[in-house]
Amino acid sequence: MINKLGFILKKLRNSRNFSKLALRALEIMRAEGLNGIRIRLIGADEAPISGYQEWINLHEKLDLESKALIKLKIDCLNCPPLLSVLMPTCESNIAWLREAIDSVQKQLYPYWELCIADDASSSPEVKSLLSQFSQDDSRIKVVFCKDRQGISEATNVALGMANGQWIALLDHDDWISEDALYQIAAAADANKNLSLIYSDEDRIDPDGLRFGPYFKGGWSPDLFYSQNFISHLGAYKKDLVVQVGGFRVGFEGSQDYDLALRCIEILEDNQIHHVPRVLYHWRSHENSFSHQHSDMAKIAAVKALNEHLARRLINAQAISVDAGYRVIYGLASEKPLVSLIIPTHNRVDLLRRAVSSILEKTTYSNYELIIIDHRSDEAETLLYLDEISSIDNVRVMHVEGGFNFSAFNNQAVNVANGSIVGLLNNDIEVISPDWLDEMVGLTIQDGAGAVGARLWYPNDTLQHGGVILGYGPSRIAGHIHGMRRDNQGYFGRAELIQNFSAVTAACLLVKKSVYLEANGLDENLPVDYNDVDFCLRLIKLGYRNIWTPYAELYHYEHGTTGRGALSAQRHSQLSKDMSYMRNRWGDYLIQDPLYSPNLDLDVVFRLSSTRERLENQKTLCKTRRFSAAKNGRLGVCAIIRNRAQWIEEWISFHHLVGFANFYIGLHKCSDSTEEFLIQVSKKFNIKIFHVEDRVGGSPQTFFYNFIQNEVAHEVDWMAFIDGDEFLFAPEQKAIGPVLDEFLQKNVYALAIHWACFGSSNFVTEPSGLIIENYRHRAPDDFPVNKHIKSVVYQRVPGFISFNNPHLVSADFQVFDEILRPINTPISPYEPSFTSLRINHYLCQSREYFDKVKKFSGNADNDSSDEIKKEGCWIGHDRNDLLDHSVESYVHPVKNLIHREAVEK
């Protein structure tokens, strides 16, 4: 580093050099940030993952509220699957085996079974422990094999015991997180098309300390040919595993890789799903099977991979490499013609080096070179262009107009003779002679889109190892760069063929037919991001983009656009290109599906530990889901404790009025309420949730918030009421048409006023009619008497948080001056309401509200005397409730909810 700094200081003595270096530094910072400057000065290793325990505490803490939320979400699943965890055991470490089983028993998700097949362990302790677990927990099944069969057959024995729709694989010395099975079940329930689910994983040392997390991306078929990243935690539909024949003998050590390879042969890409959470903790110790038999496992993996390629009739051979596996694709004897296209402007030094390296080093012979000259005017350049144009497979095209990299390449592709086109910069230099063989072999594969190469800076640090969306200061896209040649990268990925969302057009191959299908490069992007945009359009068409480390070239950077590339005009164009990309792709650029959301967007593959990103993730998680079209359905949400004597007529009444969906939260319910709700759940479309106490918050508030976020999208209106209250329309009409009238006025949130009926001295039998403790009448000009405390919400964009479930739920109509359109992102009720204890006494008039909110306390209490003096409230004795308005409601409602009337 000292030598480099000395060299730079020497150059800075020249004012012209200083100006050039300053502009260059600005260019690098715009594209790559300060990290780009650092890399060019000293190079860069893979950023170390440090502070993992701190990251765990920040991102994975399952406190009481988190667990309560997960349990509610489990209740929310439409069809929770039974998960069968398969665990082969053999001569297990007792302590670790106990931990493995305990980790299953501690699952928040209750619908599981653990199928253990012991492969003839000689240890009586193992057999005793397994027998004890099986006796104590009926969900744990154990079979003791008489003879040693090996891990594949033992797992098949466990598979034979499984009754679940899904299976998950767990080694006998590992453990899974408390929410592991919930995350699998939630993914399976959300998308019934899925058949294979995998998660992130880390390792645990013999003392139980977690380290080495592998944060994976979405499904990458070419990376899977390079390493078994499904591994842990892997979950499969049981029918799929049975269909492919289960686990095969002869692939011990890589039996799960062999299974996955056979499964993906009959699956579509969209049937494979990644859960970006660390759900599996893989114990690292010298006695593990993978450690003791690592060579055997790798041989088995290569065998499985080659058999897979043969079954798919792919002309290729898999071999073992240090970082994993490499698939070498064969070429037919008659190799396809490749048209290599190089735009240039003067800079004969760069062009000569690029062309010479291609002509002299490339072993692939069937190619043509198309040089696109953009207004070169230097004599030496023109002489060289004239000279190389006499070579048989070299053509020179001259183009005019302003610089437009996209347009130049599009013109050349239109006249290219090859079935494959290659886009190259004029500042590249071939390193590996077989670079074109490697790239063509990948390009001709079914479904292949753009294929990119590994490019190096002249100082042998990585310039391009694939493109990540959202990476770098622009948050549009950036190259993986900066690693030295001796660095294998994040889990060996710097040396493995894999998929990326994009690759650079400094060296890119694609079928000509695919290029034309995508309409080529977008000429609205003349300089920057045209390759990223092109690759994203290929993905949209169903193709996958591939990067290979086995095609290597030097990239001297920015020679194509000439010496004026760092001008103010250049930076202006960069801003336009960035704006164009954001407008076209929007949120798609925020999170690359092939790059983990747990990793940093400033330093590649570094843990994202910033609270800002964590908060952003929490915000995204809280974003409510909505259906695109209205469904006309009404929902009722209530939290109930022991309402067995009234629940039937409560459900029947609201169903009769027009409510189609019921969301019932049971809190400390010990009577037969749940039993009845289960019996009638299909008839009345009831979803049951179990609400637990929480520290520092109301269970009702917590449950209402959950419903708003998780299931409110299932209905057009949601009523939040208590389990002893009834919501009905005037004159006993169905409530749907009443709500439709409000929709026509663009009203999205209502507090509906109804007369309160019944009291302890009027209704002697438990009829389900509301019995209120407070007895106050609204002001004289408020044309109603007592009201049931009920609120109806329509779905709205954004996250509405209840600080008090009854905040807008009682003596209240819609404020005339606060009618809000349906797309209003927040509740129309000011946050100041939340600090007041007047939740039962909100008034229609803004004038009354302003008076009431001066005071805290309930209008029934002595603290509210000042409110009464203001004339806002008229006091009534508790027994002075039964007037004509109440009397007129009681009998019709009793008739409506009578069981015989409902059945009739």
Side-chain angles (χ1 to χ4, degrees):
M1 179 181 175
I2 294 174
N3 291 336
K4 289 184 180 180
L5 287 174
F7 175 74
I8 290 170
L9 289 173
K10 255 188 197 179
K11 294 198 81 173
L12 289 179
R13 292 174 189 166
N14 184 311
S15 60
R16 184 178 176 186
N17 285 338
F18 178 83
S19 177
K20 287 171 65 178
L21 284 172
L23 286 171
R24 179 71 181 117
L26 179 61
E27 178 81 1
I28 294 169
M29 287 185 65
R30 288 290 297 271
E32 303 171 18
L34 287 172
N35 191 51
I37 300 294
R38 179 179 68 83
I39 286 168
R40 282 157 179 78
L41 288 175
I42 61 174
D45 289 326
E46 171 198 353
I49 290 186
S50 57
Y52 182 44
Q53 187 59 52
E54 180 183 354
W55 186 93
I56 292 172
N57 295 336
L58 187 65
H59 291 258
E60 290 190 358
K61 188 176 181 182
L62 283 177
D63 53 19
L64 289 177
E65 181 170 350
S66 300
K67 292 180 181 179
L69 180 61
I70 287 175
K71 290 179 180 179
L72 280 178
K73 288 186 174 182
I74 292 170
D75 290 338
C76 193
L77 299 178
N78 293 313
C79 188
L82 175 65
L83 299 182
S84 299
V85 180
L86 309 187
M87 180 192 291
T89 61
C90 183
E91 309 297 352
S92 305
N93 178 297
I94 290 294
W96 294 344
L97 177 59
R98 187 185 299 276
E99 285 185 15
I101 298 174
D102 283 345
S103 75
V104 179
Q105 289 186 308
K106 290 177 181 177
Q107 288 300 298
L108 298 173
Y109 186 77
Y111 310 113
W112 58 263
E113 62 179 8
L114 177 57
C115 303
I116 302 175
D118 182 72
D119 195 20
S121 293
S122 60
S123 168
E125 289 181 293
V126 171
K127 293 181 179 179
S128 175
L129 181 69
L130 293 179
S131 297
Q132 189 64 51
F133 270 115
S134 178
Q135 292 172 15
D136 294 343
D137 192 333
S138 61
R139 296 171 298 177
I140 299 177
K141 307 174 182 180
V142 180
V143 168
F144 295 98
C145 301
K146 293 181 179 180
D147 301 311
R148 185 69 53 87
Q149 302 180 67
I151 190 169
S152 295
E153 274 303 317
T155 310
N156 282 333
V157 171
L159 177 63
M161 291 188 279
N163 294 315
Q165 295 86 23
W166 284 76
I167 65 164
L169 307 179
L170 174 62
D171 290 344
H172 63 156
D173 47 4
D174 302 337
W175 43 280
I176 54 178
S177 65
E178 282 184 272
D179 62 333
L181 298 186
Y182 158 70
Q183 297 291 347
I184 299 298
D189 184 75
N191 185 352
K192 298 296 191 296
N193 186 49
L194 297 182
S195 290
L196 199 164
I197 300 171
Y198 64 97
S199 76
D200 298 339
E201 60 188 278
D202 63 13
R203 295 187 175 237
I204 44 177
D205 66 16
D207 297 321
L209 182 67
R210 291 170 55 184
F211 70 99
Y214 188 4
F215 293 109
K216 309 165 189 177
W219 174 240
S220 172
D222 292 281
L223 179 60
F224 190 60
Y225 284 177
S226 301
Q227 62 175 207
N228 177 19
F229 63 81
I230 288 178
S231 192
H232 305 307
L233 175 65
Y236 303 76
K237 269 190 176 175
K238 181 189 173 184
D239 290 347
L240 171 67
V241 176
V242 172
Q243 181 181 350
V244 300
F247 297 85
R248 292 201 296 171
V249 175
F251 295 88
E252 282 71 17
S254 290
Q255 71 281 350
D256 54 344
Y257 189 35
D258 173 62
L259 173 69
L261 286 167
R262 285 179 284 125
C263 286
I264 67 173
E265 293 170 18
I266 58 177
L267 295 179
E268 301 293 334
D269 287 354
N270 61 10
Q271 293 180 277
I272 305 171
H273 178 72
H274 169 232
V275 176
R277 294 180 62 87
V278 179
L279 304 183
Y280 195 98
H281 312 296
W282 187 6
R283 195 178 300 275
S284 178
H285 60 94
E286 293 183 356
N287 295 324
S288 68
F289 185 92
S290 59
H291 182 86
Q292 291 183 331
H293 306 282
S294 57
D295 291 340
M296 183 182 79
K298 208 158 190 181
I299 292 171
V302 171
K303 177 185 175 185
L305 189 49
N306 277 315
E307 289 191 10
H308 165 81
L309 295 170
R311 287 191 299 271
R312 300 192 75 172
L313 303 180
I314 297 174
N315 179 19
Q317 181 185 7
I319 62 172
S320 174
V321 295
D322 286 344
Y325 320 111
R326 177 188 177 186
V327 176
I328 304 172
Y329 293 91
L331 297 170
S333 56
E334 188 175 340
K335 297 179 181 179
L337 177 65
V338 181
S339 298
L340 300 176
I341 301 166
I342 303 179
T344 192
H345 170 75
N346 290 324
R347 295 305 303 270
V348 68
D349 55 327
L350 296 178
L351 181 63
R352 180 181 284 113
R353 178 170 54 207
V355 171
S356 298
S357 69
I358 293 171
L359 295 175
E360 295 171 8
K361 295 182 181 178
T362 303
T363 55
Y364 191 97
S365 57
N366 195 22
Y367 67 89
E368 64 172 356
L369 265 177
I370 303 175
I371 310 298
I372 309 171
D373 174 51
H374 177 232
R375 303 171 63 181
S376 292
D377 52 12
E378 293 178 356
E380 188 177 357
T381 300
L382 295 174
L383 182 63
Y384 179 71
L385 290 172
D386 185 60
E387 175 187 330
I388 61 174
S389 62
S390 63
I391 301 174
D392 289 341
N393 62 338
V394 179
R395 280 188 281 164
V396 177
M397 291 176 55
H398 297 281
V399 294
E400 297 296 328
F403 178 84
N404 191 315
F405 183 85
S406 299
F408 298 163
N409 280 287
N410 289 344
Q411 292 176 48
V413 170
N414 286 331
V415 299
N417 295 320
S419 60
I420 296 173
V421 294
L423 311 185
L424 299 174
N425 277 13
N426 67 344
D427 54 358
I428 57 93
E429 179 183 1
V430 172
I431 299 175
S432 52
D434 60 347
W435 69 281
L436 197 49
D437 300 79
E438 170 70 11
M439 296 183 74
V440 169
L442 287 164
T443 304
I444 62 176
Q445 299 307 308
D446 290 342
V451 176
R454 179 159 65 169
L455 306 181
W456 298 95
Y457 290 118
N459 66 352
D460 281 330
T461 57
L462 189 66
Q463 188 274 335
H464 174 255
V467 173
I468 297 173
L469 302 181
Y471 182 61
S474 71
R475 289 298 183 258
I476 292 176
H479 293 197
I480 295 177
H481 61 280
M483 290 177 283
R484 290 195 296 264
R485 277 189 174 274
D486 59 356
N487 192 324
Q488 289 188 337
Y490 186 67
F491 283 84
R493 288 178 54 176
E495 295 188 355
L496 299 175
I497 299 170
Q498 60 200 278
N499 301 112
F500 278 98
S501 290
V503 292
T504 180
C507 182
L508 179 157
L509 257 64
V510 63
K511 298 185 190 78
K512 181 178 177 179
S513 60
V514 172
Y515 187 97
L516 295 176
E517 182 185 356
N519 296 318
L521 300 184
D522 190 335
E523 296 178 15
N524 292 302
L525 294 167
V527 182
D528 289 294
Y529 300 116
N530 40 51
D531 46 7
V532 176
D533 174 77
F534 175 70
C535 288
L536 294 185
R537 284 186 283 118
L538 291 180
I539 291 175
K540 198 172 181 180
L541 290 170
Y543 296 100
R544 69 186 190 277
N545 301 311
I546 307 170
W547 176 84
T548 175
Y550 303 111
E552 297 186 286
L553 301 91
Y554 283 121
H555 185 201
Y556 293 85
E557 286 195 290
H558 304 300
T560 303
T561 54
R563 295 182 185 277
L566 302 179
S567 65
Q569 181 181 0
R570 165 74 179 83
H571 291 296
S572 174
Q573 184 60 55
L574 175 62
S575 298
K576 291 178 182 178
D577 293 346
M578 291 168 67
S579 178
Y580 186 85
M581 286 292 290
R582 291 190 181 109
N583 289 334
R584 166 172 277 184
W585 295 104
D587 291 346
Y588 191 79
L589 300 174
I590 293 176
Q591 180 57 62
D592 192 322
L594 294 172
Y595 185 69
S596 173
N598 298 304
L599 295 173
D600 197 76
L601 288 175
D602 290 310
V603 180
V604 70
F605 296 123
R606 184 180 68 183
L607 272 174
S608 175
S609 57
T610 61
R611 287 191 176 272
E612 179 182 0
R613 190 164 187 201
L614 178 61
E615 291 305 315
N616 288 340
Q617 289 175 358
K618 284 184 177 179
T619 301
L620 289 173
C621 290
K622 287 183 178 179
T623 301
R624 289 177 56 195
R625 299 172 293 141
F626 304 103
S627 56
K630 297 186 180 304
N631 53 35
R633 298 179 74 82
L634 309 179
V636 172
C637 173
I639 186 168
I640 291 175
R641 181 189 297 177
N642 294 343
R643 290 290 179 187
Q645 59 182 341
W646 294 348
I647 192 65
E648 183 175 1
E649 56 190 20
W650 186 86
I651 292 285
S652 300
F653 170 78
H654 287 99
H655 180 73
L656 180 71
V657 172
F659 288 94
N661 293 44
F662 294 85
Y663 306 92
I664 311 300
L666 300 179
H667 179 239
K668 294 183 177 179
C669 199
S670 58
D671 66 2
S672 59
T673 301
E674 181 174 6
E675 181 180 342
F676 170 76
L677 290 175
I678 292 173
Q679 289 175 359
V680 299
S681 59
K682 290 185 178 179
K683 178 180 177 182
F684 294 111
N685 198 14
I686 300 171
K687 287 188 177 180
I688 303 170
F689 303 85
H690 298 84
V691 186
E692 298 183 350
D693 283 329
R694 297 167 52 253
V695 176
S698 158
Q700 189 173 38
T701 301
F702 177 66
F703 180 58
Y704 282 7
N705 276 328
F706 171 81
I707 293 296
Q708 280 282 67
N709 283 300
E710 298 299 327
V711 298
H713 66 283
E714 296 177 355
V715 297
D716 283 343
W717 291 86
M718 182 75 78
F720 293 86
I721 63 178
D722 285 349
D724 55 1
E725 300 169 352
F726 294 81
L727 186 60
F728 52 94
E731 300 175 3
Q732 292 77 53
K733 295 178 182 177
I735 199 168
V738 177
L739 298 179
D740 288 340
E741 292 179 13
F742 283 101
L743 280 179
Q744 294 172 9
K745 300 175 183 178
N746 292 330
V747 175
Y748 79 86
L750 307 174
I752 298 177
H753 67 276
W754 297 110
C756 178
F757 52 88
S759 69
S760 58
N761 66 344
F762 181 80
V763 181
T764 57
E765 73 279 5
S767 65
L769 302 181
I770 183 168
I771 301 173
E772 290 290 357
N773 293 323
Y774 59 89
R775 297 290 177 261
H776 289 291
R777 189 187 296 273
D780 292 338
D781 61 345
F782 199 49
V784 291
N785 291 311
K786 294 304 302 175
H787 321 301
I788 293 179
K789 51 180 184 181
S790 303
V791 63
V792 179
Y793 273 90
Q794 188 201 3
R795 298 179 294 119
V796 294
F799 175 66
I800 295 179
S801 179
F802 286 87
N803 289 289
N804 187 325
H806 287 158
L807 179 62
V808 288
S809 62
D811 305 344
F812 177 60
Q813 283 182 308
V814 177
F815 286 129
D816 293 337
E817 63 270 40
I818 312 186
L819 294 181
R820 299 295 178 95
I822 290 177
N823 62 355
T824 302
I826 59 173
S827 169
Y829 312 108
E830 289 82 357
S832 59
F833 281 43
T834 63
S835 62
L836 303 177
R837 294 180 57 206
I838 59 172
N839 51 299
H840 297 305
Y841 298 95
L842 299 181
C843 305
Q844 179 184 28
S845 167
R846 173 64 62 183
E847 176 186 356
Y848 291 137
F849 172 74
D850 287 339
K851 290 180 181 179
V852 173
K853 80 174 181 180
K854 294 177 184 176
F855 308 97
S856 63
N858 192 298
D860 284 332
N861 302 332
D862 293 338
S863 60
S864 60
D865 286 343
E866 292 299 319
I867 299 178
K868 298 172 185 177
K869 289 177 183 178
E870 295 273 351
C872 291
W873 304 101
I874 298 175
H876 282 265
D877 185 80
R878 172 186 176 90
N879 295 321
D880 187 22
L881 177 65
L882 302 178
D883 57 17
H884 178 73
S885 61
V886 174
E887 187 90 25
S888 65
Y889 271 105
V890 172
H891 296 294
V893 174
K894 284 178 67 65
N895 290 335
L896 275 175
I897 64 177
H898 194 274
R899 293 180 191 173
E900 292 180 1
V902 171
E903 291 171 358
K904 182 178 179 180

